[in-house]
Amino acid sequence: MSIDNHTEHVEFEDPGVPDHRPRKADVDDKADKRAERQTAFLFGLSIVGTLIAVVGYFAIDLGEDVESIQRFTMVLGLGIFLAMIGIGLGAIHWAKTLMRDHEMVEERHEMRSSDEAREGAIQDLKDGVVDSGLGGPKRRTLLKGSLITALAIAPLSVLVPQIGSMGGDWNVSKFRHTMWTAGTRLARDPDGTPIKASDVTIGSVFHVIPEGLNDLEHHLIEEKAKAVVLLIRLDPKDLNVQPGREDWSFDGIVAYSKICTHVGCPVALYEQQTHHLLCPCHQSTFDVANGAKVVFGPAKRPLPQLPIAVDDDGYIVAQRDFEEPVGPSFWERLQGDDSTAEEVDH
Ligand code: FES
Protein backbone atom coordinates (compact mmCIF):
# COMPACT_ATOMS: atom_id res chain seq x y z
CA MET A 1 0.00 0.00 0.00
CA SER A 2 1.40 3.39 -0.85
CA ILE A 3 0.51 6.75 0.53
CA ASP A 4 0.29 9.59 -1.91
CA ASN A 5 2.05 12.55 -0.33
CA HIS A 6 1.50 14.91 -3.22
CA THR A 7 -0.57 17.94 -2.45
CA GLU A 8 -2.92 19.25 -5.05
CA HIS A 9 -2.60 22.94 -5.83
CA VAL A 10 -5.84 24.61 -6.68
CA GLU A 11 -5.47 27.72 -8.74
CA PHE A 12 -7.83 30.59 -8.23
CA GLU A 13 -8.11 34.04 -9.62
CA ASP A 14 -6.64 36.94 -7.68
CA PRO A 15 -9.69 38.95 -6.60
CA GLY A 16 -7.59 42.11 -6.32
CA VAL A 17 -8.47 45.01 -4.04
CA PRO A 18 -11.90 46.61 -4.07
CA ASP A 19 -12.34 49.90 -5.87
CA HIS A 20 -10.89 52.82 -4.04
CA ARG A 21 -13.45 55.11 -2.46
CA PRO A 22 -12.21 58.61 -1.67
CA ARG A 23 -12.94 59.95 1.81
CA LYS A 24 -15.03 63.07 2.35
CA ALA A 25 -12.00 65.12 3.30
CA ASP A 26 -10.33 64.16 -0.01
CA VAL A 27 -13.06 65.65 -2.15
CA ASP A 28 -14.63 68.31 0.04
CA ASP A 29 -12.63 71.27 1.34
CA LYS A 30 -15.13 71.88 4.14
CA ALA A 31 -14.83 68.28 5.34
CA ASP A 32 -11.06 68.63 5.18
CA LYS A 33 -11.15 71.72 7.38
CA ARG A 34 -13.61 70.08 9.75
CA ALA A 35 -11.37 67.04 10.15
CA GLU A 36 -8.44 69.34 10.80
CA ARG A 37 -10.35 71.19 13.50
CA GLN A 38 -11.48 67.90 15.10
CA THR A 39 -7.90 66.66 15.20
CA ALA A 40 -6.69 69.95 16.66
CA PHE A 41 -9.49 69.69 19.26
CA LEU A 42 -8.23 66.28 20.34
CA PHE A 43 -4.68 67.59 20.68
CA GLY A 44 -6.17 70.51 22.60
CA LEU A 45 -7.88 68.01 24.89
CA SER A 46 -4.47 66.53 25.59
CA ILE A 47 -3.11 69.97 26.45
CA VAL A 48 -6.02 70.57 28.84
CA GLY A 49 -5.40 67.15 30.42
CA THR A 50 -1.76 68.00 31.07
CA LEU A 51 -2.76 71.32 32.62
CA ILE A 52 -5.35 69.59 34.85
CA ALA A 53 -2.71 67.11 36.06
CA VAL A 54 -0.06 69.76 36.75
CA VAL A 55 -2.39 72.36 38.29
CA GLY A 56 -4.26 69.66 40.26
CA TYR A 57 -1.00 68.35 41.68
CA PHE A 58 -0.13 71.74 43.17
CA ALA A 59 -3.64 73.00 43.93
CA ILE A 60 -5.25 70.06 45.72
CA ASP A 61 -4.48 69.83 49.39
CA LEU A 62 -3.42 66.26 50.11
CA GLY A 63 -4.73 65.67 53.63
CA GLU A 64 -4.39 62.57 55.75
CA ASP A 65 -7.86 61.19 55.08
CA VAL A 66 -8.76 58.73 52.37
CA GLU A 67 -11.22 61.13 50.69
CA SER A 68 -8.57 63.76 49.97
CA ILE A 69 -6.20 61.10 48.65
CA GLN A 70 -8.99 59.77 46.43
CA ARG A 71 -9.75 63.30 45.17
CA PHE A 72 -6.06 63.93 44.47
CA THR A 73 -5.49 60.68 42.60
CA MET A 74 -8.75 61.07 40.67
CA VAL A 75 -7.82 64.53 39.37
CA LEU A 76 -4.27 63.43 38.59
CA GLY A 77 -5.51 60.27 36.86
CA LEU A 78 -8.11 62.19 34.86
CA GLY A 79 -5.48 64.71 33.73
CA ILE A 80 -2.99 62.06 32.66
CA PHE A 81 -5.77 60.09 30.94
CA LEU A 82 -6.86 63.11 28.90
CA ALA A 83 -3.24 64.03 28.11
CA MET A 84 -2.51 60.60 26.67
CA ILE A 85 -5.86 59.78 25.06
CA GLY A 86 -5.99 63.20 23.36
CA ILE A 87 -2.70 62.63 21.59
CA GLY A 88 -3.60 59.04 20.68
CA LEU A 89 -7.06 59.79 19.33
CA GLY A 90 -5.81 62.92 17.55
CA ALA A 91 -3.11 60.94 15.74
CA ILE A 92 -5.61 58.23 14.73
CA HIS A 93 -8.17 60.75 13.50
CA TRP A 94 -5.50 62.60 11.58
CA ALA A 95 -4.31 59.43 9.90
CA LYS A 96 -7.82 58.25 9.04
CA THR A 97 -9.17 61.52 7.68
CA LEU A 98 -6.35 63.70 6.44
CA MET A 99 -3.22 61.75 5.63
CA ARG A 100 -2.76 60.44 2.11
CA ASP A 101 -5.18 57.66 1.29
CA HIS A 102 -3.89 55.58 -1.53
CA GLU A 103 -3.40 51.87 -1.72
CA MET A 104 0.06 50.44 -1.93
CA VAL A 105 1.21 46.98 -2.88
CA GLU A 106 4.40 45.70 -1.39
CA GLU A 107 5.95 42.76 -3.21
CA ARG A 108 7.94 40.21 -1.26
CA HIS A 109 11.62 40.77 -1.59
CA GLU A 110 14.96 39.64 -0.22
CA MET A 111 15.90 40.60 3.33
CA ARG A 112 18.11 43.40 2.16
CA SER A 113 16.15 45.80 0.08
CA SER A 114 17.64 46.95 -3.17
CA ASP A 115 19.18 50.38 -3.36
CA GLU A 116 16.19 51.42 -5.37
CA ALA A 117 13.78 50.25 -2.65
CA ARG A 118 15.81 52.07 -0.02
CA GLU A 119 15.70 55.27 -1.98
CA GLY A 120 12.00 54.65 -2.46
CA ALA A 121 11.52 54.28 1.30
CA ILE A 122 13.31 57.54 1.94
CA GLN A 123 11.19 59.19 -0.70
CA ASP A 124 8.06 57.71 0.93
CA LEU A 125 9.10 59.24 4.25
CA LYS A 126 9.59 62.60 2.60
CA ASP A 127 6.23 62.24 0.89
CA GLY A 128 4.70 61.32 4.22
CA VAL A 129 5.96 64.56 5.74
CA VAL A 130 4.37 66.44 2.85
CA ASP A 131 1.13 64.40 3.05
CA SER A 132 0.78 64.87 6.78
CA GLY A 133 0.90 68.62 6.31
CA LEU A 134 4.06 69.03 8.38
CA GLY A 135 5.94 70.03 5.23
CA GLY A 136 5.22 70.76 1.61
CA PRO A 137 2.89 73.33 0.11
CA LYS A 138 -0.22 72.59 2.22
CA ARG A 139 1.12 73.38 5.65
CA ARG A 140 -1.38 72.72 8.38
CA THR A 141 -0.10 75.18 10.90
CA LEU A 142 -2.98 74.74 13.36
CA LEU A 143 -2.44 70.98 13.47
CA LYS A 144 1.30 71.31 13.62
CA GLY A 145 1.17 73.81 16.48
CA SER A 146 -1.34 71.85 18.54
CA LEU A 147 0.48 68.55 18.04
CA ILE A 148 3.87 69.97 18.96
CA THR A 149 2.45 71.68 22.04
CA ALA A 150 0.58 68.55 23.13
CA LEU A 151 3.64 66.34 22.65
CA ALA A 152 5.98 68.82 24.30
CA ILE A 153 3.97 69.25 27.48
CA ALA A 154 2.36 65.79 27.86
CA PRO A 155 5.36 64.36 29.77
CA LEU A 156 4.80 67.05 32.41
CA SER A 157 1.60 65.32 33.49
CA VAL A 158 3.72 62.39 34.68
CA LEU A 159 7.02 64.12 35.49
CA VAL A 160 5.75 66.94 37.71
CA PRO A 161 4.08 64.61 40.25
CA GLN A 162 7.15 62.36 40.19
CA ILE A 163 9.65 65.16 40.74
CA GLY A 164 7.39 66.85 43.28
CA SER A 165 7.12 63.72 45.37
CA MET A 166 10.90 63.24 45.48
CA GLY A 167 11.48 66.20 47.76
CA GLY A 168 8.28 65.87 49.76
CA ASP A 169 8.07 65.53 53.51
CA TRP A 170 6.67 62.10 54.34
CA ASN A 171 4.84 61.79 57.56
CA VAL A 172 6.51 58.54 58.46
CA SER A 173 4.86 58.30 61.84
CA LYS A 174 1.63 57.40 60.04
CA PHE A 175 3.26 54.20 58.86
CA ARG A 176 5.11 53.39 62.04
CA HIS A 177 2.11 52.46 64.14
CA THR A 178 -0.86 50.22 63.51
CA MET A 179 -4.07 49.94 65.50
CA TRP A 180 -2.94 46.82 67.40
CA THR A 181 -2.91 47.51 71.13
CA ALA A 182 -2.57 45.35 74.23
CA GLY A 183 -5.60 43.09 74.55
CA THR A 184 -7.03 43.64 71.03
CA ARG A 185 -8.46 40.33 69.88
CA LEU A 186 -7.37 38.85 66.59
CA ALA A 187 -10.43 38.50 64.34
CA ARG A 188 -11.11 36.76 61.02
CA ASP A 189 -10.87 38.87 57.89
CA PRO A 190 -13.40 39.87 56.59
CA ASP A 191 -16.24 38.92 58.97
CA GLY A 192 -14.49 40.19 62.08
CA THR A 193 -15.25 37.27 64.43
CA PRO A 194 -12.58 36.76 67.11
CA ILE A 195 -10.41 33.65 67.00
CA LYS A 196 -9.87 31.22 69.84
CA ALA A 197 -6.57 29.40 70.16
CA SER A 198 -8.52 26.15 69.97
CA ASP A 199 -9.82 27.17 66.47
CA VAL A 200 -6.29 27.20 65.06
CA THR A 201 -5.22 23.71 64.11
CA ILE A 202 -1.64 22.83 63.18
CA GLY A 203 -0.93 23.86 59.59
CA SER A 204 -3.89 26.23 59.34
CA VAL A 205 -3.66 29.88 58.32
CA PHE A 206 -6.02 32.70 59.27
CA HIS A 207 -6.18 36.09 57.58
CA VAL A 208 -6.62 38.40 60.52
CA ILE A 209 -7.67 41.95 61.35
CA PRO A 210 -8.02 43.65 64.75
CA GLU A 211 -11.46 43.03 66.30
CA GLY A 212 -13.74 46.03 65.77
CA LEU A 213 -11.92 47.24 62.68
CA ASN A 214 -14.98 46.67 60.50
CA ASP A 215 -16.97 49.12 62.62
CA LEU A 216 -14.56 51.97 61.97
CA GLU A 217 -15.50 54.97 59.87
CA HIS A 218 -14.88 54.52 56.19
CA HIS A 219 -12.01 57.05 56.21
CA LEU A 220 -10.12 54.84 58.67
CA ILE A 221 -10.15 51.91 56.29
CA GLU A 222 -6.45 52.63 55.66
CA GLU A 223 -5.87 51.23 59.16
CA LYS A 224 -6.90 47.85 57.85
CA ALA A 225 -4.25 48.01 55.16
CA LYS A 226 -1.56 48.41 57.81
CA ALA A 227 -2.90 46.01 60.45
CA VAL A 228 -3.55 42.86 58.40
CA VAL A 229 -1.86 39.81 59.88
CA LEU A 230 -1.42 36.14 59.09
CA LEU A 231 -1.99 33.76 61.99
CA ILE A 232 -0.35 30.36 61.58
CA ARG A 233 -0.02 27.35 63.82
CA LEU A 234 3.04 25.15 63.56
CA ASP A 235 3.88 22.02 65.47
CA PRO A 236 5.70 23.62 68.47
CA LYS A 237 8.68 21.32 67.91
CA ASP A 238 9.15 22.84 64.40
CA LEU A 239 9.14 26.40 65.67
CA ASN A 240 12.54 27.96 66.34
CA VAL A 241 11.62 30.73 68.73
CA GLN A 242 13.80 33.78 68.12
CA PRO A 243 15.92 35.15 70.97
CA GLY A 244 13.99 37.78 72.90
CA ARG A 245 10.68 36.55 71.53
CA GLU A 246 10.15 33.59 73.81
CA ASP A 247 6.69 34.81 74.88
CA TRP A 248 5.53 36.23 71.51
CA SER A 249 3.82 33.04 70.38
CA PHE A 250 1.35 30.59 71.96
CA ASP A 251 1.75 26.84 71.68
CA GLY A 252 3.11 27.06 68.09
CA ILE A 253 0.74 29.87 67.03
CA VAL A 254 2.54 32.85 65.52
CA ALA A 255 1.30 36.08 63.94
CA TYR A 256 3.16 38.01 61.24
CA SER A 257 2.35 41.12 59.26
CA LYS A 258 0.82 40.22 55.92
CA ILE A 259 2.49 43.15 54.16
CA CYS A 260 5.58 42.08 52.25
CA THR A 261 8.73 43.90 53.31
CA HIS A 262 9.81 44.25 49.68
CA VAL A 263 7.27 46.68 48.22
CA GLY A 264 4.16 45.89 50.19
CA CYS A 265 2.14 43.21 48.37
CA PRO A 266 0.02 40.93 50.55
CA VAL A 267 1.95 37.78 51.41
CA ALA A 268 -0.60 35.04 51.11
CA LEU A 269 0.70 31.67 49.97
CA TYR A 270 1.64 29.31 52.80
CA GLU A 271 3.37 26.02 52.19
CA GLN A 272 2.66 23.73 55.15
CA GLN A 273 5.50 21.25 54.64
CA THR A 274 8.31 23.80 54.44
CA HIS A 275 6.60 26.48 56.59
CA HIS A 276 7.38 28.96 53.82
CA LEU A 277 5.28 32.01 53.08
CA LEU A 278 5.48 33.24 49.51
CA CYS A 279 4.78 36.72 48.22
CA PRO A 280 3.18 36.36 44.79
CA CYS A 281 4.50 39.67 43.48
CA HIS A 282 8.25 38.98 43.23
CA GLN A 283 8.53 35.62 44.96
CA SER A 284 10.07 36.74 48.24
CA THR A 285 9.87 33.73 50.54
CA PHE A 286 9.77 33.92 54.33
CA ASP A 287 10.46 31.06 56.73
CA VAL A 288 7.73 31.10 59.38
CA ALA A 289 9.53 28.50 61.50
CA ASN A 290 12.51 30.84 61.80
CA GLY A 291 11.15 34.29 62.59
CA ALA A 292 9.81 34.79 59.03
CA LYS A 293 13.35 35.40 57.82
CA VAL A 294 13.82 35.93 54.09
CA VAL A 295 15.03 32.72 52.44
CA PHE A 296 14.55 33.84 48.84
CA GLY A 297 13.69 36.89 46.80
CA PRO A 298 14.20 40.65 46.89
CA ALA A 299 12.79 41.39 50.37
CA LYS A 300 15.53 42.55 52.72
CA ARG A 301 14.09 41.93 56.18
CA PRO A 302 11.78 39.44 57.93
CA LEU A 303 8.06 40.04 58.21
CA PRO A 304 7.39 41.96 61.44
CA GLN A 305 6.00 39.68 64.16
CA LEU A 306 2.98 40.61 66.26
CA PRO A 307 3.42 39.47 69.86
CA ILE A 308 0.32 37.47 70.87
CA ALA A 309 -1.14 35.84 73.98
CA VAL A 310 -4.42 34.19 74.95
CA ASP A 311 -6.97 35.93 77.19
CA ASP A 312 -9.06 34.39 79.95
CA ASP A 313 -11.80 33.39 77.51
CA GLY A 314 -9.36 31.57 75.27
CA TYR A 315 -9.26 34.21 72.54
CA ILE A 316 -5.99 35.18 70.88
CA VAL A 317 -5.06 38.79 71.64
CA ALA A 318 -2.21 41.12 70.75
CA GLN A 319 0.26 41.89 73.53
CA ARG A 320 0.99 45.30 71.93
CA ASP A 321 1.64 46.88 68.53
CA PHE A 322 4.40 45.68 66.20
CA GLU A 323 7.81 46.74 67.41
CA GLU A 324 8.91 47.89 63.95
CA PRO A 325 7.18 49.54 60.99
CA VAL A 326 5.25 47.15 58.77
CA GLY A 327 5.73 47.14 55.01
CA PRO A 328 8.67 47.95 52.77
CA SER A 329 12.10 48.40 54.29
CA PHE A 330 12.03 51.99 53.08
CA TRP A 331 10.53 53.03 56.40
CA GLU A 332 13.19 51.22 58.32
CA ARG A 333 15.96 52.99 56.41
CA LEU A 334 14.41 56.38 57.19
CA GLN A 335 15.07 55.79 60.87
CA GLY A 336 18.77 56.22 60.15
CA ASP A 337 18.11 59.78 59.04
CA ASP A 338 18.24 62.11 62.07
CA SER A 339 15.68 64.59 60.83
CA THR A 340 13.25 61.87 59.91
CA ALA A 341 13.89 59.89 63.07
CA GLU A 342 12.70 62.93 65.01
CA GLU A 343 9.54 62.95 62.95
CA VAL A 344 9.03 59.27 63.52
CA ASP A 345 9.23 59.60 67.27
CA HIS A 346 6.61 62.32 67.55
S1 FES B 1 6.29 42.82 47.12
FE1 FES B 1 6.70 40.88 47.91
S2 FES B 1 8.35 40.19 46.79
FE2 FES B 1 7.99 42.15 46.00
Side-chain angles (χ1 to χ4, degrees):
M1 192 174 101
S2 69
I3 298 172
D4 183 4
N5 281 328
H6 292 283
T7 311
E8 268 189 37
H9 294 280
V10 181
E11 301 234 339
F12 59 88
E13 208 175 310
D14 179 359
V17 289
D19 288 343
H20 178 68
R21 284 190 305 170
R23 301 161 307 182
K24 264 192 170 177
D26 295 335
V27 293
D28 179 354
D29 261 3
K30 275 189 184 165
D32 179 90
K33 278 284 157 211
R34 191 164 53 242
E36 183 174 357
R37 280 196 302 275
Q38 288 165 342
T39 307
F41 169 78
L42 289 166
F43 290 148
L45 195 67
S46 168
I47 296 169
V48 171
T50 301
L51 293 178
I52 289 175
V54 173
V55 173
Y57 177 76
F58 288 110
I60 296 177
D61 183 27
L62 186 58
E64 307 228 331
D65 55 308
V66 170
E67 278 80 9
S68 74
I69 295 171
Q70 283 173 340
R71 204 166 39 244
F72 181 78
T73 50
M74 197 187 74
V75 171
L76 225 60
L78 179 71
I80 294 172
F81 170 74
L82 290 177
M84 299 302 152
I85 198 90
I87 289 182
L89 290 180
I92 291 169
H93 195 56
W94 187 358
K96 288 179 84 88
T97 57
L98 296 172
M99 288 188 185
R100 192 164 54 160
D101 176 38
H102 61 98
E103 274 120 23
M104 296 164 67
V105 176
E106 188 180 6
E107 302 290 348
R108 287 194 168 193
H109 51 71
E110 290 174 15
M111 291 300 280
R112 185 194 184 285
S113 306
S114 65
D115 291 339
E116 243 174 34
R118 290 173 160 222
E119 278 165 26
I122 291 169
Q123 190 55 47
D124 281 348
L125 278 178
K126 288 179 179 167
D127 290 347
V129 172
V130 173
D131 290 339
S132 66
L134 291 175
K138 197 173 185 178
R139 286 173 181 274
R140 296 184 187 274
T141 46
L142 175 64
L143 266 186
K144 196 171 165 182
S146 57
L147 172 63
I148 291 173
T149 311
L151 281 176
I153 70 168
L156 292 180
S157 65
V158 177
L159 287 178
V160 167
Q162 285 292 325
I163 294 167
S165 64
M166 282 163 69
D169 282 336
W170 286 85
N171 183 2
V172 183
S173 60
K174 262 203 322 188
F175 298 91
R176 181 156 178 74
H177 301 291
T178 71
M179 61 179 291
W180 289 108
T181 53
T184 305
R185 284 179 174 168
L186 278 71
R188 293 172 179 81
D189 185 14
D191 63 26
T193 53
I195 303 168
K196 284 190 166 179
S198 53
D199 298 337
V200 190
T201 52
I202 290 179
S204 61
V205 182
F206 284 76
H207 297 254
V208 166
I209 50 176
E211 188 185 23
L213 185 139
N214 282 345
D215 303 332
L216 291 176
E217 299 282 330
H218 173 68
H219 73 277
L220 287 176
I221 199 73
E222 65 197 75
E223 289 301 329
K224 178 175 179 177
K226 291 189 292 176
V228 284
V229 157
L230 283 173
L231 187 73
I232 300 169
R233 186 170 208 155
L234 283 69
D235 189 328
K237 67 177 174 5
D238 292 334
L239 185 64
N240 293 318
V241 175
Q242 302 301 296
R245 298 185 177 184
E246 289 77 9
D247 63 345
W248 285 28
S249 55
F250 177 83
D251 201 19
I253 303 176
V254 285
Y256 286 100
S257 167
K258 193 174 160 180
I259 308 170
C260 181
T261 51
H262 178 219
V263 290
C265 285
V267 177
L269 305 172
Y270 179 60
E271 218 284 303
Q272 272 187 28
Q273 305 300 320
T274 58
H275 311 122
H276 286 174
L277 260 176
L278 177 76
C279 176
C281 287
H282 315 102
Q283 281 70 56
S284 283
T285 308
F286 304 89
D287 184 359
V288 176
N290 284 292
K293 283 182 182 152
V294 182
V295 291
F296 181 78
K300 290 284 179 285
R301 66 172 178 134
L303 294 170
Q305 183 172 1
L306 183 73
I308 55 166
V310 171
D311 68 13
D312 295 342
D313 298 321
Y315 289 102
I316 303 172
V317 296
Q319 292 188 32
R320 54 188 171 276
D321 195 4
F322 292 99
E323 290 199 347
E324 56 188 311
V326 296
S329 308
F330 173 66
W331 311 119
E332 193 182 43
R333 281 204 297 275
L334 279 178
Q335 290 178 84
D337 179 325
D338 284 344
S339 58
T340 321
E342 204 173 306
E343 195 182 3
V344 167
D345 291 339
H346 286 104

